[in-house]
Amino acid sequence: LSFMDYEIVVPPRWVGIDNFVQLFTADERFGMSMGNTAYYVLFYVPLHMVVALGLALLLNQKVGAMPVYRTLYYIPSIVPAVASSILWVWILQPEWGMLNSLLGMIGIKGPLWLASLTWSKPALILMALWGTGSAMIICLAGLQGVPQHLYEAAAIDGASVLQRFRHITLPMLSSTLFFMLILGIIGSFQVFTAAYIMTGGGPAESTLFYMLYLYRRAFTFLDMGYASAMAWILFLIVL
């Protein structure tokens, strides 16, 4: 289909590589959507990994009621994406939303968030970080697999907490972190639901991510051949 001019309601017509040529030479929204997606990947994936690892380190401590804390931090990740998006539309509402109300209590005037060209993508990244529970569980499993005698030996040798983290925790978690990095990149390139529900690609297409543009071409403009060409490009990136 990526080599066809196919609009669903009429039979497909062979056009060769015309769809790909148009994507790379004449479609401004292709470049814009790819840039928006790259911005999201570049900022979300590292923050996602840092937050997940930080929460896992906190939830790996031996304190009372730890199963309760782990459950509370994990719950947001199992909330359906549509429900989360609607909830965060309320939280990020510029005038009476909870986030700007809290900022106002400490004397900070909150931005327009989803209505701002500057803050729309950071707002979606902030919302995505709220659901870091799944990655936190993976990090926590990795942490619990680190042999405790390594920490005990390092403590006897006088290693500080930071030294133990740098020379024991991070090396022992390298495969776990690499796994999270790969999954994070793949998932981030497919970001769709939050932008579709919360912004529709706006304002001024600042949140027009690649998957959202692909969806528009396929199901709004019924240009299935063109969307199939976009899907192949995304497949190669993810691969």
Side-chain angles (χ1 to χ4, degrees), residues 48-58 139 143 165 170 173 177:
H48 169 72
M49 294 179 65
V50 169
V51 170
L53 180 57
L55 288 175
L57 288 168
L58 288 173
C139 276
L143 286 172
F165 175 75
L170 285 181
L173 284 181
L177 295 175

Side-chain angles (χ1 to χ4, degrees), residues 110-131:
L112 296 177
W113 295 114
L114 298 174
S116 165
L117 290 174
T118 304
W119 287 97
S120 55
K121 285 191 286 291
L124 293 177
I125 291 171
L126 177 64
M127 189 209 95
L129 291 175
W130 184 64

